[in-house]
């Protein structure tokens, strides 16, 4: 148990100013600058998004995930100080069934032996062209 005086110094003063010193627009711009979107392939329609991103320093590795919100914000929320480079968004597929599409792409990559062990559940040794080809095959289905 910690003395309340020690704990109190870390708690916010209820009368303190809530202004973080940055506008919402500036915060959004900072998030958008955290992810390179200069070469993204966008396709599909729907409220959900399946995305693939990676890093220029290791171009044969991609994270395939989904979001029902802003892709760049989702990626920015995943990066940490241990990130090797600036994330590069490569594919953004809008869909009505983002979880099913994400899982189908991931399962195909896993079946091909592309899953990277120990790298998190959604990292694969694959390039953008392979992921895009899998999506095109599924879409034709």
């Amino acid at each position: 148990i910690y003395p309340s005086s020690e704990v109190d110094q870390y708690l916010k003063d209820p009368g303190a100013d809530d202004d973080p010193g940055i506008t919402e627009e500036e915060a959004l711009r900072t998030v958008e600058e955290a992810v390179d979107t200069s070469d993204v392939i966008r396709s599909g329609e729907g409220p959900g998004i399946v995305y693939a991103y990676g890093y220029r320093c290791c171009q044969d590795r991609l994270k395939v995930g989904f979001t029902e919100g802003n892709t760049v914000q989702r990626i920015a929320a995943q990066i940490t100080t241990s990130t090797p480079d600036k994330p590069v968004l490569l594919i953004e597929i809008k869909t009505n069934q983002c979880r099913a599409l994400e899982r189908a792409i991931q399962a195909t990559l896993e079946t091909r032996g592309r899953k990277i062990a120990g790298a998190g559940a959604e990292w694969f040794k694959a390039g953008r062209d392979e992921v895009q080809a899998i999506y095109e095959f599924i879409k034709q289905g």
Side-chain angles (χ1 to χ4, degrees), residues 77-133:
Q78 295 172 8
I79 61 176
T80 66
T81 57
S82 64
T83 301
D85 200 352
K86 184 177 188 174
V88 180
L89 177 60
L90 298 169
I91 298 174
E92 191 176 63
I93 306 165
K94 292 186 175 186
T95 178
N96 291 315
Q97 298 182 10
C98 60
R99 289 182 187 200
L101 179 58
E102 175 210 37
R103 190 62 207 128
I105 292 171
Q106 290 176 349
T108 302
L109 289 169
E110 192 168 348
T111 300
R112 292 179 178 179
R114 304 278 200 234
K115 183 155 180 28
I116 300 173
E122 300 177 331
W123 282 93
F124 300 89
K125 187 173 174 92
R128 172 172 55 188
D129 292 345
E130 182 175 12
V131 173
Q132 188 68 27

Side-chain angles (χ1 to χ4, degrees), residues 7-30:
V7 174
D8 288 345
Q9 73 179 339
Y10 295 103
L11 296 177
K12 183 179 174 197
D13 177 10
D17 185 8
D18 287 338
D19 182 11
I22 185 170
T23 67
E24 187 175 329
E25 183 178 300
E26 290 169 325
L28 185 56
R29 188 170 43 251
T30 300

Side-chain angles (χ1 to χ4, degrees), residues 2-3 10 15 21 32 35 45 60-61 64 81 88 104 120 128 139:
Y2 295 97
Y10 295 103
E32 288 175 355
V35 178
E45 294 180 18
D60 66 339
R61 296 193 170 31
V64 177
T81 57
V88 180
R128 172 172 55 188
K139 184 174 76 171

